[in-house]
Amino acid sequence: MLQRFTARAVVVGDRAGTVVPDAVVDVEDGLIAWVGPAAEAPGAADARITALRGVLTPGLVNTHSHAPMVLFRGQGEGLPLDRWLREVMWPREARLTPEDVEVAMTAASAEMLRHGVTASVEMYFHPERIAAAVTATGARAVIANPLIGLPGFGSFDEQLDTALRLAAGAAGDGQVEYGIGPHSAYTVPLPVLTQAAEAARAHDLLLTVHVAETATEGDELLATSGASVPSLLAAHDVLGGRVLGAHCVHMDDGDLELWREYDAAVAHCPGSNTKLASGTARLRDMLDLGIRVGLGTDGPASNDNLDLFEDLRLAAQLARLRERDATALTAPEAFWLATGAAAAAIGREDLGQLTAGRRADLVHVDSDDIAFVPVGDADDLVTHLVWSVGSRHVRDTWVAGRQVVRDGVSTTVDEAALRADVQTRAMRLAGR
């Protein structure tokens, strides 16, 4: 049956910040069939109509997340990245069970849906359990099986074999997609990175890797090779295909030119980068070079939340501060980085915008609020979405036309029970 959504306005999620006032979105078989002004809508006598008072936006796309790390939220506060990983995160992760990951991902996925995030790129252990979690909540995920040399998680060959096996068995319905997630050049040998990249290209899989997150992480590689991490990735045939570099904070002109040359994308994570004092990425330079960039939250132990509305606002603020220019990143561009641009960064052109033919992932933002006043013209709605409101105004979320959040509450899972379960498991993992 045709579903028809009517709304005060539709924010399309493109770079121009297109807004359609008094809008209609028609959905059929999980896809958007038509978008436009209500006065021009095609006839739909038998449609099921959902009348919304507020603004409809695309589901946000989180390009870099380790969402099951809700189990470690707030742990290791105040430590720099290297100590945070080695002293706090990795010892806890060594005690993880598959059940821990599934429960934590279910809770995190429900949290993201409440924030209007309908799709995320997850790099974390036990990928099949992550898939089970998003299947339960109704969200989407690109799940990159991590390649990392930690005890208890198998060899690099075994980890890569798992990624390829899962990708081969994926349903292909757009809800769960598998990829490959080598942690970084400083934790994974370069020959393994080459092997992973070759496999990703052969099977058209997303390969996502942490790149240049901190100023010093590549020092040992630089000392032994005389080259930066991006240069080493290019020299070892890692770039090319669907490559997504997470963070990319410390990139010089040559590094950025490599990213442009190979059409590699960037997952920009301003919340995590500021919290861990990693630095400020050259976002304006990346965009001016035509590099594909999407926003990510990073994990909820390093951000410490999964609220992409906060990151899109922070991205605009940091870009303006870095450039000392209040026009360095516009409000439409900031919102686009969490929607259409984010979808393009991960190679999912079926997501991220409210246009015909894309998947019907919709977010209803309550505009009946003082934060949406005044509105002189339709463009003000995008400005308010970026600067004045946030995830607290998200009322309803649909994925493929299925409602998964209604009036701020998950329709698919018991969030209260999940919170209690995460608390118990987190205390066990912390040794308490």
Side-chain angles (χ1 to χ4, degrees):
M1 175 184 286
L2 181 72
Q3 297 170 267
R4 170 160 289 183
F5 296 84
T6 65
R8 174 182 180 180
V10 158
V11 176
V12 171
D14 58 355
R15 190 169 191 170
T18 302
V19 178
V20 183
D22 188 19
V24 162
V25 177
D26 285 343
V27 173
E28 195 163 17
D29 296 328
L31 300 176
I32 298 171
W34 190 85
V35 179
E40 300 173 13
D46 297 328
R48 185 170 77 246
I49 296 176
T50 300
L52 304 171
R53 293 171 56 90
V55 175
L56 267 180
T57 79
L60 307 188
V61 178
N62 185 349
T63 64
H64 184 62
S65 174
H66 316 281
M69 293 180 79
V70 292
L71 288 162
F72 314 126
R73 193 183 312 228
Q75 305 299 295
E77 165 60 22
L79 292 178
L81 178 64
D82 57 345
R83 290 186 57 197
W84 177 81
L85 287 171
R86 291 181 171 83
E87 296 175 19
V88 181
M89 294 300 115
W90 289 343
R92 285 165 168 77
E93 287 176 330
R95 296 190 282 268
L96 277 172
T97 67
E99 292 78 11
D100 292 334
V101 171
E102 183 170 346
V103 168
M105 185 66 212
T106 307
S109 180
E111 179 183 346
M112 283 192 279
L113 289 169
R114 282 195 291 105
H115 293 333
V117 178
T118 53
S120 63
V121 175
E122 300 295 339
M123 180 198 287
Y124 211 64
F125 311 107
H126 305 297
E128 290 165 296
R129 294 304 188 101
I130 295 175
V134 297
T135 299
T137 64
R140 300 188 192 278
V142 180
I143 306 168
N145 191 49
L147 309 186
I148 189 168
L150 291 178
F153 292 103
S155 68
F156 289 121
D157 284 342
E158 289 170 333
Q159 292 168 354
L160 182 55
D161 287 345
T162 296
L164 296 177
R165 172 179 58 80
L166 292 172
D173 60 0
Q175 183 174 14
V176 172
E177 177 188 352
Y178 290 100
I180 305 174
H183 179 267
S184 63
Y186 67 90
T187 56
V188 177
L190 285 165
V192 175
L193 281 164
T194 301
Q195 185 183 3
E198 290 172 348
R201 287 194 294 271
H203 298 279
D204 190 30
L205 305 181
L206 182 73
L207 183 136
T208 183
V209 55
H210 296 88
V211 177
E213 182 175 0
T214 68
T216 59
E217 69 184 40
D219 283 357
E220 185 174 338
L221 289 167
L222 182 64
T224 56
S225 69
S228 69
V229 167
S231 295
L232 287 172
L233 294 178
H236 285 79
D237 200 26
V238 177
L239 304 183
R242 293 173 62 191
V243 173
L244 176 69
H247 301 290
C248 298
V249 174
H250 298 277
M251 305 269 273
D252 63 21
D253 289 348
D255 297 332
L256 290 181
E257 179 57 29
L258 282 172
W259 238 243
R260 184 205 62 77
E261 177 185 344
Y262 284 94
D263 191 28
V266 172
H268 176 42
C269 305
S272 172
N273 296 158
T274 53
K275 181 175 182 290
L276 294 175
S278 298
T280 306
R282 296 172 60 183
L283 178 58
R284 185 69 262 164
D285 292 338
M286 293 175 182
L287 295 177
D288 287 346
L289 284 169
I291 294 171
R292 291 175 294 122
V293 181
L295 289 177
T297 60
D298 206 2
S302 59
N303 187 306
D304 281 1
N305 66 41
L306 293 164
D307 187 345
L308 207 57
F309 269 99
E310 289 195 5
D311 280 276
L312 70 88
R313 182 180 301 115
L314 185 57
Q317 291 170 329
L318 289 175
R320 295 180 181 197
L321 185 62
R322 180 186 178 92
E323 305 301 328
R324 299 186 181 184
D325 179 358
T327 66
L329 194 75
T330 66
E333 283 182 311
F335 196 73
W336 167 69
L337 287 172
T339 51
I346 65 172
R348 289 293 300 267
E349 302 287 354
D350 57 331
L351 307 177
Q353 291 189 27
L354 298 187
T355 55
R358 299 209 185 201
R359 299 188 188 270
D361 299 351
L362 316 174
V363 175
H364 173 217
V365 181
D366 180 12
S367 64
D368 191 15
D369 188 282
I370 191 63
F372 270 98
V373 177
V375 175
D377 55 47
D379 291 345
D380 289 341
L381 294 173
V382 179
T383 301
H384 294 334
L385 280 171
V386 172
W387 297 114
S388 306
V389 306
S391 62
R392 68 188 183 278
H393 292 88
V394 171
R395 291 292 173 264
D396 308 283
T397 305
W398 293 263
V399 177
R402 175 196 181 196
Q403 190 161 19
V404 292
V405 174
R406 179 180 293 113
D407 199 22
V409 178
S410 172
T411 66
T412 56
V413 296
D414 184 342
E415 291 187 71
L418 286 166
R419 285 196 298 272
D421 203 353
V422 168
Q423 170 70 18
T424 300
R425 292 172 186 273
M427 292 302 98
R428 187 196 84 245
L429 293 168
R432 298 181 187 176

